Amino acid sequence: MYPKNISAHGGEVDHLFNLAFLLTGITLLLIVGIMLWILIVYRGRPGRRAHYSHGTSKGALILTAVVAVVVFVGLDVTLAIEDHHAYKIMYGTRPKDPVVVQVFAKQFEWHFRYVGTDGVFGTADDIYSLGELTVPLNKPVLLRMRSADVVHSLFLPYMRRKQDVLPGQTVELRFTATQTTEQARAERSDPNYHSEISTIAGWFRFRGENTERLDWFSVNKPEDDEDDHHSKKAPVSLLPDPKAFDFEIACAELCGANHARMRGVLTVRSEKKYEAWVAEQSKLAQSDEAPEINDIWIGWTIAPPVTTGSNAVEPKESS
Amino acid sequence: MISDATLADHGHPKPGFIRTYIFSLDHKMIARQYLILGLIFLMVAGLFAVLIRAHQVNPGRPLLVVGNMLTKVAGQAMTGDVYNSLFTNHGAMMIFFAITPIVIGAFGNFIIPLQVGAGDMAFPKLNMMSFWVIFLGAVLIVASFFMPNGSAAGGWTAYPPLSSGKDASGSAYLLGRGPLLWILAIALAGTSSLMGSINYIATMLNMRAKGMTLMRVPLVTWGLFYTAVLNVLWVPVVAVALFQVFLDRALDANFFVPAMGGQPLLYQHLFWGFGHPEVYILILPVWGLVGDLLSVFSRKPAFGYKLTVLSMGSIVALSQVVWGHHMFTSGMSPVLGNWFVLLTITISVPTAVFFLNWLATLWRGAIRLTVPMLFSLGVVFVFAIGGLTGLFNALQTFDIHVHDTYFVVAHFHYTLAASVLFGAFAGIYYWFPKMFGRTMNRTLGTLHFAFSFIFMNCVFMPMFVVGIGSHMRRIVDWTKYEYLGELRPLIEFMGIAAVALGLAQLLFVFNFLYSVFFGKRAEQNPWQATSLEWVAPTPIPHGNFIEPPVVYCGPHEFSNPGVTERDWIMQTEDTGVTQS
């Protein structure tokens, strides 16, 4: 599956896909194969009569029962069990001490707030970000999300997860990243790098290299217009620069006219670099150059965290 | 119970032009009216789809020819609000004003009274009203485009608060009166469905001819009957959901305003409570039709008729308890999610029974590759793909990733655009001789099938790959996301295939229009089929049958060894050798 999974357990989704593809693929080949064979062998020919049967014989009923059982056990139960297993792995645990990030979805932006060095939300050293979610490598992350207006959905394709953000509720999403942005950039800069989908996409490529837009159906600007990078002979290659690669975040629930622009960036830093980033950003937030805090965050404050038995430490929230 | 309506020419003067062609009480004329309405909207909504896919080939530039009609600023690419409105209406028009009128309105109205041996529907006046109500709805949805801020743009699913709410400054998220008209249009379409469904149920249960037991009714009428049952149960639910949106918009109600205690999630439950049965509403008649046509054109009885009827019935039951699989990302309890997974996935069992019955009907048959048969075989192929990919989407964990991506879009287009549409074409080519008294051209029909089949697969098979590539739905410009760049060859391929698919439909349009006026006159039973609509003369008189039919056998008596000069036995023939 594409893009490459970089979460600790997102591979379960890929595994489910592979299993379902195998089982349904076999079923499809059987159905289509049998059908084609029948169409060839039993095509109507003059003088040949069809076989008269209503399919009510005992043999027919047994065949039907066998097919029903095989489908139920071989396809349905098998897949349901695998899905249940995958679900438990991906969503069934609450790791202790997650890095908590607050997310506010709004038409058409993703706002993020981090605790900063004091570990408490709602204080002067909180880090605010518009559109960029920064997380540490290999540490569980807990997103607590709200919506300011309509239904949005945080989609993390690289984590194989999404969660609808409904106004009026606080929803949660957990994941653990297993590759840093730096590592991803290095990987993609390798000349031998091939993405998971490049082979299949290649089968459909019918015109040379992928550097020009197909203009059959559109009105195109004159070729000498170099400012507009949508024109046909764009000076910039349409393939992204691997050194500028970023994991992307999208909104996956139609939220209005600019739903397509509700893009975010996920930055994964190694633990050391993440701590350095938190320290630096917290200091900046308390300094005079700190930007204005967006109105959205008013009212979403947090009391000091409380430990309750064996449950993960989760800050209590008000409002 | 047979009413006097069974007898042709029952002693009233011949009605005038308006009573015959406009405000007709005759189910056959109402069926033709539904068919024309449906075909017009099929073309309009189909055009929207072609525009959408052609736009996606190069989203940063305006489209050729129509580009300037779709933007406010000349030379600019299509913006999100227009694009959102295109796919919203593509969905709503296809479902409510194209497919429903053709597969349920036209086929149901034309075929049910004929196949059960009645002279007309149980309630002819209600029947006439049902058409004019949906006609009014059609006028409203077209009118919604002429409102200053355009038509609805919240998806055919119209989730609140987007579709109903207002922002902090008091202006609606979706501006203007367009969405209101759109909601009213769908409400009228739903009302029309309810009226029609009452008629279908009453006619099927109460107006069957002598000897027409329930187990001798053709499968397509069973499908239409089940459709009517689901309609009656669930259309009121979506009406409530839409009415709540309407009240929130028009009268500042608070059903979906969280700050006032409202709950947007409620809408999703109500909508999908209808929405899932709706997709079975659309496909049940096609399943029945395919069962019948495979039998007719294999010259063999439908294999396992009773089990097919039972399977369709069990799917009717199951379809009502699986709506949560549209909401796996809404944050529901995993326990609830598990139930929805299990119930959804169980639908594959009765579906497998159909496939077995279809293949077993073909096996050892004498297959005739007529145009209706080609489309029926096409349905078997595309529904296999559509149904099997439904299994993927039933799995909660997988679905959370592909929800709102093109994987889901590809799945439901295989089951709707491919399966239901091919079924609609099969029915139109099959019943055209009876509906219009003329034959359609076979060569054009075969070419229409071949190109539609090829290009349908060329559009929607790559779409699964695009969905696995995590491409979100309802995005006006995918080039904003770098990771989607790798999918470019697939997106271009789909765009070209969509334009080709659209052009291929011209073969059908030409064939249909030409044949209605200039086609060769049809004989009474051109397909050598056995059900009662082929007992009626061509053209079918008012009252349908010269004398009330008496039924002696089932609808699939083909190649019975007891009758040797023909390989079919009409349902009204008393031969004594039949097993059904």
Side-chain angles (χ1 to χ4, degrees), chain B residues 8-29:
Chain B
D9 188 23
H10 41 258
H12 60 69
K14 196 165 169 318
F17 179 85
I18 294 202
R19 196 35 132 200
T20 307
Y21 291 103
I22 316 248
F23 293 111
S24 172
L25 295 169
D26 185 311
H27 71 103
K28 302 183 289 297
M29 186 57 70

Side-chain angles (χ1 to χ4, degrees), chain B residues 248-268:
Chain B
D248 268 21
R249 268 191 90 83
L251 296 177
D252 283 328
N254 290 312
F255 290 109
F256 307 121
V257 179
M260 302 296 289
Q263 175 55 281
L265 196 57
L266 173 66
Y267 176 90
Q268 293 186 30

Side-chain angles (χ1 to χ4, degrees), chain B residues 398-564:
Chain B
F398 182 77
D399 181 77
I400 287 174
H401 178 71
V402 296
H403 175 74
D404 256 286
T405 67
Y406 271 105
F407 190 86
V408 178
V409 180
H411 159 71
F412 67 70
H413 278 89
Y414 259 99
T415 51
L416 278 176
S419 308
V420 178
L421 187 62
F422 283 178
F425 284 137
I428 293 173
Y429 282 100
Y430 184 63
W431 284 312
F432 189 92
K434 235 9 176 211
M435 260 193 174
F436 298 103
R438 295 176 185 266
T439 32
M440 287 179 82
N441 181 290
R442 183 175 180 173
T443 310
L444 283 178
T446 308
L447 285 172
H448 173 223
F449 168 74
F451 288 128
S452 296
F453 184 79
I454 291 169
F455 293 126
M456 187 73 77
N457 282 293
C458 285
V459 175
F460 295 108
M461 191 59 83
M463 202 179 273
F464 282 121
V465 182
V466 169
I468 288 298
S470 306
H471 187 325
M472 304 73 67
R473 281 174 79 169
R474 298 171 162 175
I475 302 287
V476 63
D477 187 352
W478 56 271
T479 61
K480 298 262 171 289
Y481 295 84
E482 284 190 358
Y483 79 96
L484 294 179
E486 296 255 18
L487 304 174
R488 169 177 301 282
L490 295 155
I491 295 172
E492 289 174 353
F493 186 87
M494 289 196 291
I496 297 169
V499 171
L501 179 63
L503 288 172
Q505 305 317 303
L506 295 176
L507 287 168
F508 170 77
V509 174
F510 174 73
N511 194 358
F512 185 87
L513 288 174
Y514 181 88
S515 305
V516 166
F517 297 109
F518 308 114
K520 207 169 69 151
R521 294 262 173 216
E523 43 183 285
Q524 182 175 347
N525 188 1
W527 308 113
Q528 295 174 345
T530 57
S531 41
L532 291 185
E533 75 267 33
W534 307 106
V535 169
T538 299
I540 312 180
H542 182 47
N544 294 343
F545 302 97
I546 309 290
E547 50 188 42
V550 180
V551 169
Y552 296 95
C553 64
H556 303 122
E557 285 296 331
F558 294 101
S559 304
N560 189 317
V563 173
T564 44

Side-chain angles (χ1 to χ4, degrees), chain B residues 303-354:
Chain B
F303 190 94
Y305 168 97
K306 280 206 181 79
L307 275 176
T308 299
V309 171
L310 210 67
S311 298
M312 290 202 285
S314 62
I315 291 182
V316 166
L318 278 171
S319 73
Q320 299 176 69
V321 290
V322 297
W323 77 91
H325 66 234
H326 298 273
M327 298 167 59
F328 281 138
T329 57
S330 63
M332 71 172 71
S333 147
V335 175
L336 193 58
N338 284 340
W339 275 109
F340 281 125
V341 170
L342 268 169
L343 290 166
T344 305
I345 216 164
T346 307
I347 293 179
S348 61
V349 174
T351 311
V353 171
F354 295 159

Side-chain angles (χ1 to χ4, degrees), chain B residues 239-404:
Chain B
V240 165
L242 288 174
F243 192 48
Q244 289 176 311
V245 171
F246 184 92
L247 287 176
D248 268 21
R249 268 191 90 83
L251 296 177
D252 283 328
N254 290 312
F255 290 109
F256 307 121
V257 179
M260 302 296 289
Q263 175 55 281
L265 196 57
L266 173 66
Y267 176 90
Q268 293 186 30
H269 282 290
L270 291 174
F271 181 85
W272 288 116
F274 156 81
H276 194 77
E278 166 69 1
V279 310
Y280 290 98
I281 284 169
L282 296 169
I283 202 162
L284 276 159
V286 167
W287 285 339
L289 180 61
V290 167
D292 283 338
L293 293 185
L294 290 181
S295 165
V296 172
F297 295 110
S298 309
R299 314 309 290 164
K300 255 190 87 189
F303 190 94
Y305 168 97
K306 280 206 181 79
L307 275 176
T308 299
V309 171
L310 210 67
S311 298
M312 290 202 285
S314 62
I315 291 182
V316 166
L318 278 171
S319 73
Q320 299 176 69
V321 290
V322 297
W323 77 91
H325 66 234
H326 298 273
M327 298 167 59
F328 281 138
T329 57
S330 63
M332 71 172 71
S333 147
V335 175
L336 193 58
N338 284 340
W339 275 109
F340 281 125
V341 170
L342 268 169
L343 290 166
T344 305
I345 216 164
T346 307
I347 293 179
S348 61
V349 174
T351 311
V353 171
F354 295 159
F355 271 95
L356 174 68
N357 288 347
W358 289 342
L359 291 175
T361 303
L362 292 168
W363 181 67
R364 293 181 79 181
I367 295 169
R368 299 179 178 179
L369 293 178
T370 60
V371 178
M373 180 58 154
L374 288 172
F375 276 104
S376 302
L377 292 168
V379 171
V380 177
F381 179 84
V382 295
F383 189 67
I385 295 174
L388 286 171
T389 49
L391 280 178
F392 289 75
N393 290 316
L395 306 176
Q396 211 179 160
T397 319
F398 182 77
D399 181 77
I400 287 174
H401 178 71
V402 296
H403 175 74
D404 256 286

Side-chain angles (χ1 to χ4, degrees), chain A residues 17-42:
Chain A
F17 172 73
N18 292 334
L19 180 64
F21 187 74
L22 177 70
L23 293 174
T24 56
I26 293 173
T27 311
L28 183 68
L29 284 173
L30 267 172
I31 294 175
V32 175
I34 292 175
M35 190 166 82
L36 285 174
W37 180 79
I38 290 176
L39 289 176
I40 296 171
V41 173
Y42 293 110

